[in-house]
Amino acid sequence: MDTRCILIIDDEEDIREVTQLTLELEGGWQVLTAESGRKGVDLARFHHPDAILLDVMMPDMDGLMTAKVLQEFPDTQSIPVVLLTAKGAAEIVENFQGIGIAAAISKPFDPLQLVPQIKQLLAWT
């Protein structure tokens, strides 16, 4: 299996737990979680994950602001960010590629398709 490290930043505990279990069991990946954008930025700077799954709608610092903050640091600029959004995924990616958004996955997502979807979006073989 491919041992990647993924950081999930989402304020909803249920989403974090389901996503974490899916990525660990289906992908064999190490998973870090954060319940806020600020904590997510700190974890990203300390652990340098291979990718970040980032919720758009969060209190205090939303996903787009979190992505902008990640772009401010040289050590996190190259980490691909995949937005988890209830909004139109393609539209989000087009509008925000300049702030490091690699792709978007629409919520609700099929947990069993999440690992293959991430691999495809990030061109991980």
Side-chain angles (χ1 to χ4, degrees):
M1 284 201 203
D2 191 5
T3 43
R4 303 257 186 191
C5 179
I6 309 295
L7 171 58
I8 302 165
I9 305 173
D10 197 311
D11 62 315
E12 294 183 47
E13 185 176 358
D14 293 346
I15 299 287
R16 286 195 314 271
E17 288 177 1
V18 167
T19 307
Q20 179 176 5
L21 282 171
T22 299
L23 298 180
E24 289 174 346
L25 296 174
E26 297 294 318
W29 297 337
Q30 176 187 0
V31 178
L32 305 168
T33 65
E35 67 278 353
S36 70
R38 292 187 203 297
K39 184 173 180 191
V41 169
D42 290 343
L43 285 172
R45 295 200 68 210
F46 187 78
H47 292 282
H48 303 97
D50 295 297
I52 297 171
L53 297 184
L54 178 59
D55 183 27
V56 174
M57 304 293 281
M58 294 187 294
D60 299 323
M61 189 162 82
D62 70 12
L64 299 178
M65 180 57 70
T66 302
K68 287 178 186 174
V69 171
L70 289 165
Q71 286 299 299
E72 293 175 7
F73 299 104
D75 57 339
T76 57
Q77 284 177 348
S78 63
I79 301 170
V81 174
V82 176
L83 291 180
L84 296 176
T85 177
K87 297 180 181 178
E91 177 184 307
I92 293 269
V93 173
E94 284 179 22
N95 291 337
F96 297 104
Q97 281 183 325
I99 59 167
I101 305 302
I105 295 173
S106 293
K107 286 182 183 180
F109 54 83
D110 178 354
L112 296 178
Q113 293 302 314
L114 191 58
V115 168
Q117 195 171 12
I118 291 168
K119 285 181 175 182
Q120 179 184 11
L121 291 170
L122 299 180
W124 291 351
T125 54

